[in-house]
Amino acid sequence: MRTIIEPFRIKMTEPIHIISREARIKKLKQAHYNVFLLDAIDCAIDLLTDSGTGAMSAQQWAAIMLGDESYAGSQSWKKFEKTVKKITGIKHIFPTHQGRAAEGLLAMSRIKPGDVIPNNSHFDTTRANIEFAGANAINLLCQEGHDPRLDAPFKGNMDIDKLKECILHHGVENIPFVMLTITNNTGGGQPVSLANIRAVKAVLSQYRIPLVLDACRFAENAYFISQREQGYQDKTLLSIAQEIFSFVDAATMSLKKDGLANIGGFFICRNDEWAEDFKNLLILREGFPTYGGLAGRDLEAISVGLMEALEIDYQVYRHASVEYLTQKLDKKNIPVIKPSGGHAVFIDAKAFMPHIPPLHYPGIALINALYIEGGIRAVELGTVMFGRMNSTGEQHPSDLELVRLAFPRRVYTQSHFDYIIEVIEKVWEMRDSYSGLKITKQPAMLRHFSCHFQYLT
């Protein structure tokens, strides 16, 4: 096969500010060894997140100039509504300023203390909004998803047997809805099959429990289905996405992912009562329901970006880039989650630094090493982000200790990926020299964003 090239030309460039290793050590110390607290300009390659960090297309920038900034019922809103309905077929559509706002308002309107919300795997803000409302967020990931090295096509699936057990154990009256996250970010960016979505819906229909989709990366998930699930090879990504949404009662989405925009989110639902409750909270917290905290120009850019995310050439290129890095690291025996995720490469920090126990945060040690050695900023998806405290304050580690290299859409090129490989290989060779850390300051929730660390030795 010929080389898969980027399906775009670069029209504008932004200089990368590269500081010395000594300066990076100093900056990291000033940031209390938490890369979230670094200045972006001091990060040569910024893979902290793919959320809102991508490059918009010429068509999106052109659409921005058409932004109708009317307070209510703007033409930009009409375009946004039409696009979302085309993809999802869902009646009620509410824009929000980003995905966690949709999650927060959904939790406020539908959850009571003591409820249980099952998911294949809750991501950080989803779990935090659920727990802030007094509910228990439960992960029901399939067995294959717990094995980082297993090469299985749909490791993001929900375990159907565990779902049935969860419903029987906690009771239908305590489960206001069940969520599915596509792709499964917490578990390594792994996709969920349509067969699994169909099976989850079948179980929930027996108990009349609504299904809510966390649709942040719905287009990437649709691409995986087209490549890996029997019977979908000849279908368009749009038709696959439409089938995915046909099974759900509601959905939240950060449009900073597969909306290919720098800001935005939505909540959509079929139920009139849900829509009325959400609308009233939206007006209170975000803005009028036809703009929901966004400018008209943002709605225009999102309307274009949602359809661009469903273009096969774009998805082929994006997945080829992630696959390229995964394969290169795997050939060097560097432990990565297999198969490749949709938006990121996930390193198994527990296997990378086995001398550092989970409660000394091997993921944080690894991301700090990547920054020191190469100016690469990544993020930990392990005990700092997903660990739990029991009633006595004892900390329990996460099942997985991962480091995520999340790739902004249409930003970095082949030479950047080769540089990343070189830096990771250097850290791999020096891995025994890195020590664990302890937390010296942390908030009650979402501690990974702002906590302080200190090296143990």
Side-chain angles (χ1 to χ4, degrees), residues 83-89 218 238 241-242 245 306-307 310:
T83 301
V84 176
K85 280 189 175 178
K86 179 179 180 179
I87 295 169
T88 70
F218 79 97
L238 174 59
Q242 289 168 336
F245 282 102
L306 281 167
M307 299 308 297
L310 290 165

Side-chain angles (χ1 to χ4, degrees), residues 257-274:
K257 283 82 170 177
D258 278 352
L260 306 189
N262 301 126
I263 198 68
F266 69 50
F267 172 73
I268 58 178
C269 67
R270 304 185 193 277
N271 185 286
D272 293 344
E273 181 184 347
W274 281 35

Side-chain angles (χ1 to χ4, degrees), residues 103 106-117 129-131 133-136 176-177:
E103 295 168 351
L106 173 64
M108 289 173 65
S109 61
R110 299 261 65 87
I111 292 176
K112 66 181 186 300
D115 279 347
V116 169
I117 310 297
N129 275 303
I130 288 168
E131 292 179 345
N136 185 14
F177 55 85

Side-chain angles (χ1 to χ4, degrees), residues 11-39:
K11 229 172 184 178
M12 184 180 71
T13 63
E14 178 184 353
I16 292 175
H17 179 62
I18 301 176
I19 60 177
S20 68
R21 185 179 187 276
E22 291 71 24
R24 292 195 294 267
I25 292 172
K26 182 179 179 181
K27 295 286 185 181
L28 191 59
K29 183 178 181 180
Q30 291 171 348
H32 304 283
Y33 302 104
N34 185 343
V35 295
F36 275 101
L37 305 180
L38 291 169
D39 289 336

Side-chain angles (χ1 to χ4, degrees), residues 150-157 190-193 224 228-229 339-340:
L150 178 65
D151 198 337
F154 291 103
K155 291 169 66 175
N157 284 351
Q190 299 297 310
V192 178
S193 70
F224 277 123
R228 298 180 183 178
E229 192 159 0
S340 302

Side-chain angles (χ1 to χ4, degrees), residues 17-297:
H17 179 62
I18 301 176
I19 60 177
S20 68
R21 185 179 187 276
E22 291 71 24
R24 292 195 294 267
I25 292 172
K26 182 179 179 181
K27 295 286 185 181
L28 191 59
K29 183 178 181 180
Q30 291 171 348
H32 304 283
Y33 302 104
N34 185 343
V35 295
F36 275 101
L37 305 180
L38 291 169
D39 289 336
I41 196 172
D42 296 323
C43 303
I45 306 290
D46 200 344
L47 309 180
L48 186 70
T49 182
D50 63 321
S51 180
T53 55
M56 291 198 299
S57 68
Q59 288 74 21
Q60 286 180 286
W61 282 108
I64 281 177
M65 300 307 294
L66 301 174
D68 178 356
E69 305 304 339
S70 301
Y71 187 88
S74 72
Q75 290 302 303
S76 298
W77 149 250
K78 291 294 184 182
K79 289 181 185 176
F80 176 85
E81 181 187 40
K82 182 179 178 181
T83 301
V84 176
K85 280 189 175 178
K86 179 179 180 179
I87 295 169
T88 70
I90 291 178
K91 178 181 178 182
H92 300 290
I93 297 169
F94 300 101
T96 59
H97 84 275
Q98 63 181 58
R100 71 188 62 180
E103 295 168 351
L105 297 182
L106 173 64
M108 289 173 65
S109 61
R110 299 261 65 87
I111 292 176
K112 66 181 186 300
D115 279 347
V116 169
I117 310 297
N119 199 328
N120 50 348
S121 296
H122 292 277
F123 200 58
D124 57 351
T125 60
T126 318
R127 189 181 94 172
N129 275 303
I130 288 168
E131 292 179 345
F132 188 73
N136 185 14
I138 296 178
N139 292 341
L140 302 177
L141 181 62
C142 66
Q143 192 59 41
E144 296 91 336
H146 292 280
D147 186 347
R149 304 295 285 168
L150 178 65
D151 198 337
F154 291 103
K155 291 169 66 175
N157 284 351
M158 179 176 282
D159 189 310
I160 300 300
D161 290 335
K162 288 181 181 178
L163 174 61
K164 294 175 182 177
E165 292 170 6
C166 181
I167 295 171
L168 292 174
H169 178 73
H170 292 284
V172 174
E173 67 279 6
N174 296 314
I175 304 177
F177 55 85
V178 168
M179 295 192 76
L180 265 180
T181 303
I182 62 172
T183 56
N184 190 330
N185 192 6
T186 305
Q190 299 297 310
V192 178
S193 70
L194 257 167
N196 188 250
I197 296 171
R198 195 178 295 112
V200 169
K201 181 61 176 178
V203 171
L204 299 184
S205 295
Q206 296 175 28
Y207 299 97
R208 297 185 178 179
I209 298 174
L211 175 59
V212 178
L213 193 71
D214 180 343
C216 290
R217 299 175 180 87
F218 79 97
E220 291 178 4
N221 203 94
Y223 176 77
F224 277 123
I225 289 170
S226 75
Q227 299 299 301
R228 298 180 183 178
E229 192 159 0
Q230 188 174 359
Y232 290 93
Q233 284 69 32
D234 296 326
K235 293 185 178 291
T236 65
L237 300 188
L238 174 59
S239 67
I240 294 172
Q242 289 168 336
E243 186 171 348
I244 290 171
F245 282 102
S246 72
F247 292 103
V248 308
D249 299 284
T252 61
M253 182 174 177
S254 168
L255 293 161
K256 298 162 69 175
K257 283 82 170 177
D258 278 352
L260 306 189
N262 301 126
I263 198 68
F266 69 50
F267 172 73
I268 58 178
C269 67
R270 304 185 193 277
N271 185 286
D272 293 344
E273 181 184 347
W274 281 35
E276 185 67 20
D277 292 343
F278 190 92
K279 180 183 71 174
N280 292 332
L281 285 173
L282 183 73
I283 294 171
L284 180 67
R285 299 292 186 187
E286 292 279 289
F288 196 72
T290 62
Y291 78 88
L294 294 171
R297 55 184 173 268

